[in-house]
Amino acid sequence: MTRMTILAAALALGTVTAALPAAAQDASATPELMKVDWYDVQLMKWAPGKAGRAHEIIEMFMKTDKELGLTGVMDFHMRTGPWDSIVALPMRGGVAEMGWANNPEGKKWDEAFAKQVGGPEKAKAIYEEFESLIARSERHVGHIDRD
């Protein structure tokens, strides 16, 4: 490239970037949200011989969802790959849920689950048992396009 070409490119770039701050300061421009449904995706490898019990507990969790009118949980039983189960939980409040100190819907769910299993202490014992069934896990956030 010649020096003149480089100078012309630099000047053109400067003109474009100089206009950006003014556009960025336009308070009336509200960005459009993506048309997607967000999911908390949990990948789990069960401790040896524990998959059956884990899925029994997942069914209990799904029963609570049903009682509360919540739908959309996807529970995949994997036949290939390193994971035994992949569970996709809808983030009904969108990706903003990740920033919440407390999810108000979570408290309602915890109370309904405790009622289903016979009280908060029994619910806590089931949560602890479920955690003990997991050999390893990962969590990710993903979305499904609506259109």
Side-chain angles (χ1 to χ4, degrees):
M1 268 194 207
T2 67
R3 286 185 187 172
M4 192 55 120
T5 306
I6 294 171
L7 179 61
L11 287 173
L13 186 59
T15 303
V16 172
T17 57
L20 288 177
Q25 292 175 9
D26 183 4
S28 66
T30 303
E32 182 180 349
L33 293 175
M34 295 175 15
K35 293 179 175 91
V36 299
D37 293 320
W38 290 97
Y39 287 83
D40 174 356
V41 182
Q42 301 181 18
L43 297 83
M44 289 168 278
K45 179 74 176 171
W46 304 118
K50 302 298 182 181
R53 178 61 179 150
H55 284 285
E56 288 174 8
I57 294 174
I58 289 172
E59 288 297 322
M60 295 168 71
F61 295 160
M62 293 176 91
K63 181 178 177 185
T64 300
D65 283 353
K66 186 176 181 181
E67 287 176 14
L68 294 173
L70 303 174
T71 60
V73 172
M74 293 179 269
D75 180 17
F76 298 94
H77 301 230
M78 304 306 296
R79 294 294 179 234
T80 61
W83 304 105
D84 296 323
S85 294
I86 298 175
V87 179
L89 305 163
M91 297 172 72
R92 293 177 180 87
V95 75
E97 282 185 13
M98 292 172 43
W100 293 351
N102 294 300
N103 183 337
E105 297 302 314
K107 183 178 179 190
K108 289 179 194 174
W109 193 95
D110 288 340
E111 290 170 353
F113 183 70
K115 183 178 176 185
Q116 173 191 327
V117 299
E121 290 303 316
K122 288 186 179 180
K124 182 179 178 207
I126 291 170
Y127 293 143
E128 289 172 357
E129 178 188 5
F130 185 74
E131 289 296 318
S132 77
L133 305 174
I134 301 170
R136 66 186 176 95
S137 65
E138 287 184 15
R139 287 180 83 172
H140 299 276
V141 173
H143 70 269
I144 295 174
D145 295 325
R146 282 190 226 142
D147 41 330

